[in-house]
């Protein structure tokens, strides 16, 4: 008997069923409330926004249980009771306090120095980009300036490039003589050159070789440079993108030669070129020459970009030569 009331076994059981859950809920409520206002929120996780690509702070999303407890405790902690409509607590509710979001700006990665104005690839890419006029033509002075830098880059790479660049150097010099010669006004662009040489009767008959290469038409000389540019572009692209354990540089540049130039050369020159290809340095050495002092990944990326510019120039020139009927001059 407790205070004059006899607790039978069923009555005791009912009392315990109500008292124990209430006690547990009360303890959880007090513990959660104390931690909530002492520690939450401590850390704002970061997320990357789709629009800007920058890292920004994001307020944490409370769990459903915590949201329920906030709603229940807000009235107690601010002097408001559930069910009372006229209640104006002082200050914002805990769930309304949000830390100011400050975006964290991640600086963009700098491009390798070799693509800069004084870099090996940058000096080559700049005039080749400039030679492609907005009107769809190819400006010859800038095209030849790009070739000068390409020859400067290719010559130290090995005997196979020396074999090709020696011929290219002669053709660049011959075409520069026309660009800066007495008829310079007709050699400002590929289109103006092709139109004038056709009207002046300077074009060779298709399939015939010039008796004196120095006296060849500017259109024929540019066609030969155009083919050599394709070989250089293919070779450099394959050096940049070749996979580890795949074909070595010699095999890849040999395939590029077969694709771009071999069919235009006599048998003896083809054999000499294939022998020279065997002396090419390894991929790592070529990448270091292209982008000195740079890691392999950055050097590959830079050389890929340079090869893409050469491809764009080749495609533009190919379209113009085809449009003027000059692809069969040599």
């Amino acid at each position: 008997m407790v205070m004059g009331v006899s607790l039978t076994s069923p009555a005791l059981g009912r009392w315990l069923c109500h008292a124990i859950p209430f006690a547990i809920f009360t303890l959880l409520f007090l513990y959660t409330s104390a931690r909530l206002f002492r520690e939450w929120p401590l850390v704002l996780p970061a997320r990357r926004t789709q629009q800007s690509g920058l890292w920004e702070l994001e307020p944490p999303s409370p769990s459903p249980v915590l949201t329920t407890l906030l709603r229940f405790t807000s009235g107690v902690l601010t002097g408001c009771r559930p069910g009372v409509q006229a209640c104006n607590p002082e200050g914002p509710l805990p769930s309304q306090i949000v830390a100011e979001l400050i975006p964290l700006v991640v600086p963009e990665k700098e491009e390798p120095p070799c693509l800069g104005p004084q870099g090996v690839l940058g000096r080559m890419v700049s005039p080749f980009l400039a030679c492609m006029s907005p009107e769809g033509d190819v400006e010859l002075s800038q095209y030849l300036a790009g070739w000068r830098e390409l020859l400067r880059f290719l010559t130290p790479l090995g005997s196979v490039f020396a074999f090709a660049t020696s011929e290219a150097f002669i053709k660049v010099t011959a075409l520069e003589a026309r660009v800066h010669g007495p008829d310079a006004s007709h050699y400002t662009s590929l289109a103006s050159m092709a139109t004038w040489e056709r009207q002046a009767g300077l074009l060779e008959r298709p399939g015939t070789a010039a008796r004196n290469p120095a006296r060849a038409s500017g259109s024929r000389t540019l066609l030969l440079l155009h083919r050599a540019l394709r070989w250089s572009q293919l070779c450099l692209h394959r050096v940049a993108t070749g996979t580890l354990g795949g074909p070595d540089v010699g095999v890849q540049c040999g395939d590029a030669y077969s694709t771009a130039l071999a069919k235009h050369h006599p048998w003896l020159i083809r054999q000499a070129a294939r022998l020279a290809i065997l002396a090419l340095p390894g991929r790592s050495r070529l990448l270091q020459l292209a982008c000195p002092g740079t890691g392999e990944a950055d050097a590959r990326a830079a050389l890929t970009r340079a090869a893409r510019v050469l491809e764009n120039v080749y495609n533009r020139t190919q379209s113009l030569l085809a449009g003027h009927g000059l692809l069969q001059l040599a």
Side-chain angles (χ1 to χ4, degrees):
M1 179 177 294
V2 180
M3 297 184 67
V5 179
S6 177
L7 296 178
T8 62
S9 295
L12 179 61
R14 287 193 300 272
W15 184 83
L16 290 174
C17 287
H18 289 82
I20 292 176
F22 180 78
I24 293 174
F25 177 79
T26 303
L27 291 174
L28 286 175
F29 161 69
L30 295 174
Y31 174 78
T32 304
S33 299
R35 287 186 60 85
L36 175 66
F37 292 99
R38 187 176 69 251
E39 301 178 1
W40 183 82
L42 288 177
V43 180
L44 295 177
R47 65 182 176 86
R48 186 184 293 273
T49 62
Q50 294 181 353
Q51 293 80 4
S52 65
L54 302 178
W55 288 96
E56 296 181 355
L57 298 177
E58 181 184 50
S61 300
S63 64
V65 175
L66 184 56
T67 302
T68 302
L69 285 174
L70 282 173
R71 291 175 180 173
F72 180 83
T73 57
S74 62
V76 176
L77 297 173
T78 60
C80 299
R81 297 192 306 275
V84 179
Q85 295 182 358
C87 181
N88 297 315
E90 296 179 1
L93 297 179
S95 59
Q96 295 172 328
I97 300 176
V98 180
E100 182 180 359
L101 303 183
I102 304 175
L104 302 178
V105 179
V106 180
E108 295 184 1
K109 190 175 182 181
E110 296 182 358
E111 69 176 16
C114 60
L115 281 173
Q118 302 303 319
V120 176
L121 298 179
R123 292 195 306 267
M124 176 187 72
V125 165
S126 180
F128 272 125
L129 283 173
C131 83
M132 293 185 287
S133 68
E135 295 78 16
D137 207 347
V138 171
E139 297 180 5
L140 292 182
S141 60
Q142 291 291 346
Y143 179 84
L144 295 173
W147 253 109
R148 285 282 182 184
E149 293 299 332
L150 177 60
L151 292 174
R152 183 181 299 178
F153 167 58
L154 294 179
T155 299
L157 297 188
S159 58
V160 62
F161 289 105
F163 161 80
T165 54
S166 61
E167 287 295 317
F169 179 83
I170 295 173
K171 293 174 176 61
V172 168
T173 303
L175 196 51
E176 283 178 335
R178 293 181 179 271
V179 170
H180 301 290
D183 297 318
S185 61
H186 301 295
Y187 288 90
T188 57
S189 71
L190 193 159
S192 64
M193 173 183 68
T195 300
W196 185 76
E197 288 191 335
R198 185 177 298 280
Q199 293 174 351
L202 298 177
L203 296 180
E204 296 83 0
R205 287 187 302 172
T208 61
R211 295 180 180 179
N212 185 353
R215 294 182 177 273
S217 67
S219 298
R220 186 180 189 275
T221 303
L222 188 137
L223 175 62
L224 298 176
L225 283 175
H226 171 66
R227 292 171 181 169
L229 185 70
R230 179 59 168 169
W231 176 46
S232 302
Q233 180 269 320
L234 287 174
C235 184
L236 296 180
H237 176 76
R238 293 175 185 182
V239 169
T241 59
T243 58
L244 188 64
D248 60 23
V249 169
V251 173
Q252 291 181 316
C253 288
D255 290 342
Y257 173 77
S258 298
T259 299
L261 283 178
K263 61 185 177 182
H264 303 292
H265 288 167
W267 181 87
L268 188 60
I269 293 180
R270 291 200 302 268
Q271 303 312 308
R274 292 190 173 106
L275 287 175
I277 286 172
L278 298 178
L280 271 174
R283 191 184 313 277
S284 297
R285 175 60 178 160
L286 287 176
L287 290 173
Q288 278 301 308
L289 289 171
C291 217
T294 305
E296 180 175 335
D298 288 339
R300 281 176 176 265
L303 193 56
T304 300
R305 287 177 57 184
R308 188 176 300 119
V309 172
L310 298 185
E311 183 179 20
N312 292 338
V313 174
Y314 173 84
N315 290 338
R316 170 78 66 90
T317 308
Q318 177 78 3
S319 178
L320 288 167
L321 290 172
H324 286 273
L326 301 177
L327 291 176
Q328 303 304 320
L329 281 181

